[in-house]
């Protein structure tokens, strides 16, 4: 005698096709921006020469940089699906749960805390060096154009944010993770503060 068959739980939908289409859609959006939107809507190019003869980033510098960063992410989505074994649709996607909302909340708190640290580090460093009689700045505004005060907030806050997201996703944080995060932020500082003359790292632009 057989019992009544119970209700089976709904099987989550496969995510492989979503990954593929999102990746292809992202690449299409990038091409639309580079070939149609930016040339028609942005006045200057990637680099331009200002009135003093210095080469500075043009109006399209950061938009192109932003969409350029989307290309490797789209490629990873596409390759992850194309490289999956035959018949596999990738990881299963379920419904939004409290765990997902908790992850989002932690990400928002981490971002907010890192931005606060980014704003506080520079003034705290100035206060410390003034207390040690190493400097005599009247405040952070007076030191915001001097190394290392001008990059201290971005370096500490950016490293903290990167390490926090590594810890959140990997569930652990090792010394090499901290070194990689610090090196990545240092390269960003070299590019935006060292090679580009008219770019101010946060929070200096708000002074």
């Amino acid at each position: 005698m057989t019992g009544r068959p119970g209700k089976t739980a709904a099987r989550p939908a496969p995510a492989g096709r979503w990954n593929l289409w999102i990746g292809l859609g992202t690449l299409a959006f990038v091409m639309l921006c580079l070939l149609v939107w930016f040339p028609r809507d942005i006045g200057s190019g990637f680099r331009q020469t200002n009135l003093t003869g210095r080469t500075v980033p043009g109006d399209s510098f950061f938009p192109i940089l932003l969409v350029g960063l989307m290309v490797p992410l789209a490629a990873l989505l596409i390759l992850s699906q194309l490289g999956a074994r035959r018949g596999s649709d990738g990881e299963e996607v379920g419904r939004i749960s409290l765990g997902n909302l908790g992850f989002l909340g932690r990400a928002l708190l981490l971002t907010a805390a890192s931005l606060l640290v980014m704003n506080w580090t520079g003034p705290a460093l100035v206060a410390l060096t003034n207390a040690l009689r190493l400097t005599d700045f009247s405040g952070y505004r007076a030191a915001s154009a001097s190394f290392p005060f001008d990059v201290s907030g971005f370096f500490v806050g950016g490293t903290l944010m990167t390490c926090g997201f590594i810890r959140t996703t990997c569930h652990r944080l090792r010394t090499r993770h901290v070194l990689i995060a610090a090196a990545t932020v240092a390269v960003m500082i070299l590019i935006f503060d060292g090679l580009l003359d008219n770019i101010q790292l946060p929070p200096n632009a708000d002074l």
Side-chain angles (χ1 to χ4, degrees), residues 135-180:
T135 58
D136 57 353
F137 291 114
S138 59
Y140 179 67
R141 181 187 294 272
S144 60
S146 303
F147 182 85
F149 305 99
D150 56 340
V151 300
S152 59
F154 186 83
F155 179 77
V156 175
T159 302
L160 176 63
M161 183 183 298
T162 306
C163 290
F165 279 112
I166 291 176
R167 175 65 178 83
T168 300
T169 54
C170 297
H171 305 291
R172 59 184 176 182
L173 185 66
R174 296 180 176 178
T175 303
R176 64 181 181 182
H177 296 150
V178 178
L179 295 177
I180 291 174

Side-chain angles (χ1 to χ4, degrees), residues 91-137:
E91 61 179 325
E92 295 180 342
V93 177
R95 297 180 178 179
I96 296 178
S97 64
L98 292 178
N100 302 133
L101 297 178
F103 177 85
L104 179 60
R106 291 193 298 271
L108 293 175
L109 288 176
L110 172 61
T111 302
S114 301
L115 292 178
L116 288 176
V117 170
M118 190 177 295
N119 280 273
W120 293 340
T121 299
L125 182 60
V126 170
L128 176 62
T129 56
N130 283 347
L132 297 176
R133 299 184 183 278
L134 299 176
T135 58
D136 57 353
F137 291 114

Side-chain angles (χ1 to χ4, degrees), residues 23-48:
L24 292 175
T26 301
L27 290 180
F29 176 73
V30 170
M31 297 301 296
L32 177 66
C33 290
L34 296 179
L35 300 178
V36 180
W37 183 8
F38 293 168
R40 293 186 177 184
D41 202 42
I42 300 179
S44 62
F46 190 74
R47 301 292 294 271
Q48 65 180 2

Side-chain angles (χ1 to χ4, degrees), residues 75-99:
L76 286 176
L77 288 174
I78 296 173
L79 293 176
S80 65
Q81 175 59 18
L82 295 180
R85 63 181 183 273
R86 186 180 300 275
S88 174
D89 284 328
E91 61 179 325
E92 295 180 342
V93 177
R95 297 180 178 179
I96 296 178
S97 64
L98 292 178

Side-chain angles (χ1 to χ4, degrees), residues 176-197:
R176 64 181 181 182
H177 296 150
V178 178
L179 295 177
I180 291 174
T184 302
V185 177
V187 170
M188 295 178 63
I189 292 175
L190 177 63
I191 294 174
F192 291 106
D193 191 68
L195 302 181
L196 303 176
D197 296 330

